[in-house]
Amino acid sequence: MRPIALALAIATGLNNPAAVLAEASGAQAPATEAQPQPSDLREPPAQQANLQFDAYILGPGDGLELKLFDVPDLSGPLDVLNDGTVSLPLVGSARVVGLTLSQAHQWLLTLYRAQLQRPELQLQVVRPRPLRIAVVGEVERPGVYTLTTNETSQTEGAPAAISGLPTVVDAIQKAGGITLHADLRQVALQRRLPGETPSFKRASLNLMDLVMAGDLLQNPLLFDGDTIRVPKAQEPVPESIELAATNLSPQQINVNVIGEVKSPGRIPLPANTPLVQAVLAAGGLETWRGKKSDIQLVRLNRNGTATRERFNLDLSQGASNPKNPPLRDNDTVIVSRSSLAVLSDSIGAVSTPLSGLVNVWSLFRLISDTNN
């Protein structure tokens, strides 16, 4: 493309860097290995599960620094605006949203070639934007979160400061930690690929290997727009007691234990506490009033429904199994009355009014005897 035609194309296409670079590719000087080819802007990289070599994608809120070595007066800071553009000296507004830093460098170089004879420039990110991450599935507070380099963990243990670039674990901690139904072996991470047309790749992470074996490759750094999905386990997680002690679980849960226990009421317990331990935390069953074969667990589900299950109190049962399930925040445990307690309460309900009548008759007799 001739220089005049290139200038006209750039003047009319500053908001479409992919098209202009594709059209101008025949007139450009050969790109070095560090510079992307124009085809990099036309076709996104292949969708693969490798998250270790992803490039930072520019977006609104990023603070950039532009250095033009031949024309230092044109150098200075650049802010990516909400519409995805930057204001370039001598060139005007140019769109950079959705490009990697290398692609944006190549795009700005193409723009300045229409104005300068042999431009040499450097582009770098000096103020990254905060990351907006979606965390969904089996976490305590699903939703969209903004992560910075300084966060506070609200999971197991005392609140702790989290510094540095956010990771998958940081995002889960920000969402309050995992629920007792979380399947950490199949956590999914979805990430956007470069380009203005939305396209994504997905990777599967095994966070159980992270917390049990220290495999840090399962805890990659997060990029803006990532989505973390924690699936629901089909069966009770055998390692739930061990997970309760990790920093992926909430600090504590509150469980209502009512009925025939020695200290009924709302009791704070460690996360994933099993049913038997909750009854013991309430002082255990009343000596002869509590019915060991009728321990009820009432649970409010996220969809608004409630479930009621009955269990047999067996101290020999291990934790995290169908007979001694781990508890969730706001669960209610009801210890029913034994047959002897029901009989005793029935006799008391009948005899108490009769005792009152006898006492009234005795008082009447005493008053009569005094008057005589």
Side-chain angles (χ1 to χ4, degrees), residues 244-255:
T246 69
N247 60 358
L248 287 176
S249 295
Q251 295 181 31
Q252 68 177 25
I253 59 176
N254 293 296
V255 176

Side-chain angles (χ1 to χ4, degrees), residues 146-322:
T146 299
L147 299 179
T148 63
T149 55
N150 292 289
E151 296 292 340
T152 301
S153 168
Q154 295 296 332
T155 50
E156 177 63 26
I162 301 172
S163 59
L165 298 176
T167 65
V168 170
V169 169
D170 296 334
I172 293 177
Q173 291 175 337
K174 184 80 171 182
I178 59 175
T179 69
L180 59 91
H181 296 300
D183 183 1
L184 294 185
R185 290 182 170 85
Q186 301 184 53
V187 176
L189 176 60
Q190 176 179 285
R191 176 163 297 170
R192 181 170 178 172
L193 296 171
E196 293 224 34
T197 302
S199 57
F200 303 87
K201 69 177 180 180
R202 295 172 178 84
S204 180
L205 304 175
N206 189 340
L207 296 189
M208 193 67 73
D209 287 347
L210 172 65
V211 297
M212 296 300 179
D215 185 1
L216 293 178
L217 292 178
Q218 305 300 322
N219 187 31
L221 296 173
L222 293 176
F223 286 9
D224 186 48
D226 282 356
T227 297
I228 302 170
R229 185 180 302 276
V230 182
K232 183 176 181 179
Q234 300 300 322
E235 300 178 356
V237 181
E239 303 89 352
S240 62
I241 296 299
E242 291 88 343
L243 290 177
T246 69
N247 60 358
L248 287 176
S249 295
Q251 295 181 31
Q252 68 177 25
I253 59 176
N254 293 296
V255 176
N256 300 302
V257 184
I258 59 177
E260 300 302 328
V261 291
K262 296 180 180 179
S263 301
R266 188 172 179 84
I267 303 175
L269 297 170
N272 292 331
T273 295
L275 177 67
V276 171
Q277 187 174 340
V279 175
L280 295 178
L285 274 62
E286 286 285 3
T287 306
W288 56 272
R289 294 184 61 86
K291 188 176 183 180
K292 296 176 61 176
S293 61
D294 191 8
I295 309 297
Q296 302 180 42
L297 173 60
V298 179
R299 172 170 295 166
L300 294 176
N301 302 312
R302 287 184 176 178
N303 59 6
T305 63
T307 58
R308 179 190 295 261
E309 297 182 79
R310 297 178 184 272
F311 300 90
N312 183 21
L313 185 64
D314 186 355
L315 299 182
S316 65
Q317 284 293 334
S320 302
N321 59 62

